[in-house]
Amino acid sequence: MSTISTRANARDVASARIVELDGIRGLAAILVLVFHVLAAGRVSGGVDVLIFLSGFFFSTFLLKDSSPVFPRRLIDYLSRLAPVAALVLGVLLVLAVLDLAPRPTRTLIEEIFFSALMVENWFLGFQSIDYLANDGWQSSVQHFWAVSIQVQLFALFLLITHVVKMWGKSSWVRWQWVTLVVLSGFSLAYSAWMSARDPAFAYFDTFARAWEFGFGAMVGLVGLTLPRWLNVVRFPFVSFGVLLIVATGVFVPAQGFPFPSALVPIAGITLFTLGVMRQRDSFARKVFRTPPARFIGSLSYPIYLWHWPIHLMVSNFLSGGETSFFVRLAIVFVVTVGLSWVTVQIFERPILAAVRTRTNQQRAWFTVITVGSVALSSFGVNSIVQARDEVRYGPILSLYQSFAEVKKDNPVPYRDGCHLRSGKSTIPPCVYGDVTGEKTVLLIGGSHAASWQPALDKAASEMGWRLIYTTKSACRLTFGPFSSSDSDCEEWNQNAVNLIIQERPDLVVSTSTATTKEGTEKIPKGYLNAWTEFSTYGIDFLMIRDIPRWEKDPVDCVERFPTEANDVCAMNASERMAREDPTRAIRDQFPNFTFVDFTDAVCPNGVCLAQDQAGFTYRDTHHFTKDFSERLFFLFLPELEKPTGEQNE
């Protein structure tokens, strides 16, 4: 088929609205809402479906226009998205001023600024936010990460299409195919690499999600010239596609997003789209053509924007009682859909109708002013909120200026570059304590070992010991298997072992167990092999039992319940760890190892508090504040006072 006839057919099909896609778009938005209310650490796959559909509509609509379209199409796209986004963000700014915004508001204003500029995903990614830790205490605009990614991908692919059309001229459709295949392939490979290397960052990474948009665009192109056999094939494309989409949140591991887990909802929406474009009528197709399905689909954008802050406000309102999931879901659903309908009828449609009659330049200025007004307003609101919080929380914050400062109270090695992040394995020379001391203690391990650095630093300084330090996030000192979240963990481990052999310290300090966010505790795989090897080195080891992890962020808890913190923001240590230290059964196998349990000092009488009389204890769910760690220095004094070779006694 010639390029000209292909383009003509493409225009014909693209001009016909596929109403079933409105219905599936509504289902995707509702799935996101349901799983956010469920708060079970699951991913619905709805966002992946919406990104795919953005790519699909992108390719089918642009086939109507063979001329270079970058400025005009981008302005048109942003002018349609900006009003509702600005409305939601503006309402949250007003609620913040009135002190009605859901708490914690620690990063709310800052995130409103980045959300208005459509870069919220990068803010969350570089802040190492765990989006799956959905306990309902996050920022009210955290969900704007997905909108930000879609805007960025639309702009990126539109720019590339613009260049291809200018360069390819009459053969631009063929070159568009080549470009989509290459870009999507690279993105898929990058997504696999980044998801294994740093899954928390990959979740928000635009380039790790670009393949989803690209797949949608390719289906939009290939669907226009599908073979005729799809008209009669009996395979239930539509039904099976819906099944895959719905099953994603139930059966697909949340930790595998965007790769490989997102392959499931993308496969589902691909089958669904191909089915509704070419296959005969089926019951599933008819369901997504019904007025209720199309009604929800028409509201999918405001539903997505409104559902998260409404969910947080409902959770705050009902936090004092035992309300079932179904009651909360019903309230959030009804309020979200109702508010979305009002938004469309009273706000969005009148504004868009007026904007469509304007010139490109006028629409561009409208978008800039709309977005800029929200972004700039966030600075003024931030000053109001900070001034109010200084008065309200001053006595509670004590040593800190803000809750954000509590969250950043890391050990000094974090600022010195001595605590290694993802992608780094070379150990820098980092010495603390008494740098001229005759005896040497080496602190080594993951971030939980790093939490003890301030305490050990103070004890080492007092006792005249030199403290050599090396830790790495999500990477324990072990002889495999190594953490899949960081491909450099194995290399760092080898460097750490070489450091022990080279320095021959008088004492090595690390952790002996690992607690989880589910409240379990175990000796990690590979520890026993490592300890057996270390037993031959003739070096004493001090192994510290891991600390209990909180289910919800204790710092955010104090912000939400400042006058009830001692009661509400408390954790029973015995419920978050093993009943007995798991190392008790194997201690005799390692005579040069001393195993210690400091839980009683961390959680007096078995109760961990977010705050004690001196200040905050934890800075997040599983790391101490620097201040609290320093106050525990006395725990190490008896170990450093022992003569060399007697640490295990």
Side-chain angles (χ1 to χ4, degrees), residues 290-575:
T290 59
R294 296 178 63 185
F295 171 74
I296 295 296
S298 68
L299 302 178
S300 58
Y301 180 51
I303 283 176
Y304 183 83
L305 294 185
W306 281 120
H307 86 278
W308 180 246
I310 290 173
H311 159 54
L312 295 187
M313 286 186 278
V314 170
S315 297
N316 277 2
F317 182 75
L318 300 176
S319 62
E322 293 294 330
T323 307
S324 70
F325 158 72
F326 295 103
V327 172
R328 287 186 288 112
L329 177 60
I331 295 173
V332 173
F333 178 82
V334 170
V335 174
T336 299
V337 173
L339 185 56
S340 298
W341 182 82
V342 171
T343 299
V344 170
Q345 296 297 321
I346 298 179
F347 183 80
E348 183 181 36
R349 285 183 179 175
I351 289 180
L352 293 185
V355 170
R356 282 194 202 98
T357 62
R358 305 299 177 181
T359 65
N360 287 338
Q361 186 176 17
Q362 289 173 327
R363 282 186 291 169
W365 276 111
F366 165 77
T367 303
V368 170
I369 293 172
T370 301
V371 172
S373 298
V374 174
L376 293 176
S377 297
S378 67
F379 289 100
V381 174
N382 191 45
S383 300
I384 296 173
V385 172
Q386 282 188 344
R388 186 174 60 217
D389 285 355
E390 284 179 9
V391 175
R392 171 184 294 167
Y393 296 114
I396 297 173
L397 289 169
S398 184
L399 302 174
Y400 307 95
Q401 297 297 315
S402 65
F403 288 102
E405 189 176 324
V406 179
K407 304 286 285 187
K408 296 176 182 178
D409 192 18
N410 299 322
V412 172
Y414 280 68
R415 297 190 289 274
D416 292 346
C418 296
H419 177 77
L420 302 184
R421 303 285 189 175
S422 176
K424 296 184 178 180
S425 59
T426 302
I427 298 176
C430 298
V431 181
Y432 299 93
D434 184 350
V435 295
T436 62
E438 296 182 0
K439 291 186 176 182
T440 299
V441 56
L442 171 61
L443 178 61
I444 196 166
S447 61
H448 285 203
S451 288
W452 292 105
Q453 189 275 342
L456 190 54
D457 180 27
K458 188 172 181 178
S461 297
E462 186 168 316
M463 298 300 297
W465 283 55
R466 189 168 65 114
L467 169 59
I468 298 177
Y469 175 93
T470 178
T471 58
K472 179 174 172 61
S473 291
C475 187
R476 305 183 183 100
L477 181 62
T478 180
F479 283 8
F482 300 99
S483 172
S484 61
S485 65
D486 191 342
S487 58
D488 298 298
C489 186
E490 183 174 359
E491 184 177 350
W492 175 83
N493 262 271
Q494 185 57 57
N495 292 337
V497 171
N498 292 338
L499 180 65
I500 295 174
I501 296 174
Q502 175 185 335
E503 293 291 339
R504 303 292 301 180
D506 298 281
L507 180 65
V508 176
V509 179
S510 193
T511 53
S512 62
T513 65
T515 53
T516 68
K517 60 184 178 182
E518 291 78 21
T520 61
E521 181 185 15
K522 61 183 179 181
I523 300 175
K525 294 180 179 179
Y527 265 28
L528 297 181
N529 292 336
W531 297 349
T532 300
E533 173 68 20
F534 294 149
S535 294
T536 66
Y537 289 3
I539 298 174
D540 291 321
F541 281 74
L542 179 66
M543 310 302 292
I544 308 171
R545 186 181 185 184
D546 203 1
I547 60 176
R549 294 188 183 218
W550 293 73
E551 290 185 84
K552 297 185 178 182
D553 194 301
V555 179
D556 289 345
C557 182
V558 173
E559 181 180 351
R560 286 190 67 185
F561 308 103
T563 60
E564 309 167 81
N566 286 342
D567 296 322
V568 178
C569 308
M571 170 178 61
N572 191 329
S574 63
E575 295 178 357

Side-chain angles (χ1 to χ4, degrees), residues 24-25 28-29 31-32 42-56 131-132 145-146 149-150 153 191 202-203 205 208-216 244-245 248-249 252-254 256-270 273 304:
I24 198 68
R25 185 165 53 182
L31 285 174
V32 174
R42 309 294 297 180
V43 175
S44 67
V47 166
D48 305 281
V49 170
L50 293 173
I51 293 175
F52 175 96
L53 290 175
S54 293
F56 176 85
Y131 190 76
L132 302 181
W145 72 269
I149 282 181
Q150 289 187 62
L153 289 176
S191 183
Y203 196 90
D205 191 337
R209 300 269 184 175
W211 63 273
E212 301 177 12
F213 190 98
F215 277 31
L244 287 176
I245 293 170
T248 298
V252 178
F257 281 87
F259 185 91
S261 295
L263 289 171
V264 177
I266 294 300
I269 187 59
T270 299
T273 305
Y304 183 83

Side-chain angles (χ1 to χ4, degrees), residues 170-184:
S170 62
S171 60
W172 70 269
V173 174
R174 183 184 303 115
W175 283 110
Q176 188 69 48
W177 257 111
V178 174
T179 304
L180 284 174
V181 170
V182 172
L183 287 178
S184 299

Side-chain angles (χ1 to χ4, degrees), residues 56-94:
F56 176 85
F57 293 128
F58 170 87
S59 66
T60 54
F61 288 157
L62 287 185
L63 285 170
K64 299 177 182 179
D65 192 347
S66 60
S67 62
V69 294
F70 179 71
R72 176 169 54 84
R73 285 291 187 184
L74 183 60
I75 292 171
D76 180 59
Y77 182 73
L78 293 178
S79 65
R80 285 187 287 113
L81 291 183
V84 178
L87 173 66
V88 175
L89 296 175
V91 167
L92 288 169
L93 283 175
V94 172

